[in-house]
Structure formats: structure tokens, C-alpha cells
Amino acid sequence: SAVISQKPSRDICQRGTSLTIQCQVDSQVTMMFWYRQQPGQSLTLIATANQGSEATYESGFVIDKFPISRPNLTFSTLTVSNMSPEDSSIYLCSVARGNQETQYFGPGTRLLVL
Amino acid sequence: ELKVEQNPLFLSMQEGKNYTIYCNYSTTSDRLYWYRQDPGKSLESLFVLLSNGAVKQEGRLMASLDTKARLSTLHITAAVHDLSATYFCAVDDNQGGKLIFGQGTELSVKP
């Protein structure tokens, strides 16, 4: 398994501001992902965070709104930019050591935008 | 485009009863996952199913995979209150680890 931490665990933000969420893993992992879970909904993949290259974004998500960094094999950040109330969600990072491995999820960051 | 559908979406069970949650998906995949989510918590990995006919069991939960039918089941035996949670299936999109999630099944086990 993997021990994953996220910071902050929750936040309340004003519209128009930005928040950067950190994801730290206790060991090196090949694959890191960022998901969004809107209230009462399932999970949707935002992007795959690739170490040493640009993140790969899913349809409906763009780099200007959700810039991602992956400076090494244990750490990634997701920024939610120019926030609006529609961005209120849980943001989760997940990791996997390879394609054949289970994906483990971090504890999530609960974001409320007023 | 891979789509994943679970049913039922809500399930109210009595303790001691058996029931099955179904997960259908639309295109070929190599891997299927089952996760559990308690209210206000993150996802806990339950099972990873990697091949046709795979069956895994942990306690009162048993998961199976039929890749030909594109169907996975999560069977609950003699339910207890502690199993109350939301259960998600997720299918690997064969694109570098990307997972497509079902809608989730909210399970409530009542005495």
C-alpha cells in the first residue's frame, strides 16, 4: 500500500481566489492522478500528473484552471484557480506504482467556495 | 468512450440478508476495482480484479469479474451494520491507469 497525505484537509475560500493542494506520498510512485468528487457524486478524473512533463488533462478540464506540478516521484500539487462556487468539491489525489497495481487514494481536500 | 454503470444506486438491507451490487461497463478493460467510501472519508481499496473469472473474497464481501459480459458483481453475505457505506466500482480505461468510476451504491444496513 501507500501512505498518502494531502494539505489542506479542508478550506473555505472566496470566489476569485486560488488554492493550491499538496499531495505527498511516503514512497516513490510512477503514477499520480487528481480527481474531483462533487457533493453526493462519483469521482471524475481531472488529470494525470506526469513527473518531468506536462500533466495530461481530461475533457472538460484545462491547465489554466487546474495547473498541476509534479516535481518528483513523491509529490504533486493541484491549483484551483479563479474559484467559483461550482468548484466546491472534494479533491483527491491517487497513486499507483504501475499499471498492474491498485490505485490508492489520499484523504481528500474538502473545498467550499463562497 | 468507456462508461461504467452501477445498480442499484441505493440499497437498504436488513442485517443478516444477502444482496448483490452490479457493475456494468461498456468497453474492454484489463482491470476492475471496488472501493468503499464512508461518509466524509476517502476511498478504501477493497478488491482489484485482473482477469476473466477472477473471484476475490474478504470477510462478508465477494467480488467477481466476467470480462466477456463486461460485468462485475459485489456480493454481500449476511450483512452487518458496519458494512453501511458507499461502494464504487472503477474500470481501468487502458490509458495509463485512468479510472472511470461508476455512480456508487449507497448501502444502508439496518438492524
Side-chain angles (χ1 to χ4, degrees), chain A residues 31 33 35 37 41-43 45 48 58 90 92 99-108 110, chain B residues 31 33 35 37 40-43 45 48 50 88 92 95-104:
Chain A
M31 311 168 82
F33 306 89
Y35 289 83
Q37 186 176 27
Q41 303 292 315
S42 187
L43 282 79
L45 180 65
T48 302
E58 297 302 309
I90 302 173
L92 301 107
N99 277 341
Q100 297 293 326
E101 301 291 325
T102 298
Q103 270 193 42
Y104 297 98
F105 283 80
R110 286 154 181 78
Chain B
R31 282 171 294 284
Y33 303 79
Y35 290 92
Q37 187 177 39
K41 304 289 187 181
S42 187
L43 278 74
S45 176
V48 182
L50 299 176
F88 290 96
D92 191 300
Q95 295 183 41
K98 172 183 172 181
L99 296 185
I100 306 298
F101 279 78
Q103 308 97 309

Side-chain angles (χ1 to χ4, degrees), chain B residues 9 14 18-19 22 28 54 58-59 62-63 70 72 81 99 103:
Chain B
L9 302 184
Q14 282 191 312
N18 304 332
Y19 210 83
Y22 298 88
T28 302
E58 181 74 31
M62 183 174 70
R70 296 175 186 161
S72 179
H81 178 69
L99 296 185
Q103 308 97 309

Side-chain angles (χ1 to χ4, degrees), chain A residues 22-73:
Chain A
Q22 299 179 4
C23 178
Q24 179 77 52
V25 191
D26 67 336
S27 58
Q28 293 185 345
V29 292
T30 308
M31 311 168 82
M32 293 183 82
F33 306 89
W34 286 97
Y35 289 83
R36 181 173 74 182
Q37 186 176 27
Q38 293 179 301
Q41 303 292 315
S42 187
L43 282 79
T44 301
L45 180 65
I46 298 171
T48 302
N50 304 311
Q51 196 266 332
S53 65
E54 294 283 336
T56 304
Y57 289 84
E58 297 302 309
S59 175
F61 298 97
V62 295
I63 188 170
D64 289 347
K65 176 67 175 176
F66 297 102
I68 286 172
S69 78
R70 177 92 191 267
N72 57 52
L73 292 175

Side-chain angles (χ1 to χ4, degrees), chain A residues 12-29:
Chain A
I12 301 173
C13 300
Q14 297 297 321
R15 69 171 67 210
T17 62
S18 298
L19 177 72
T20 295
I21 302 167
Q22 299 179 4
C23 178
Q24 179 77 52
V25 191
D26 67 336
S27 58
Q28 293 185 345
V29 292

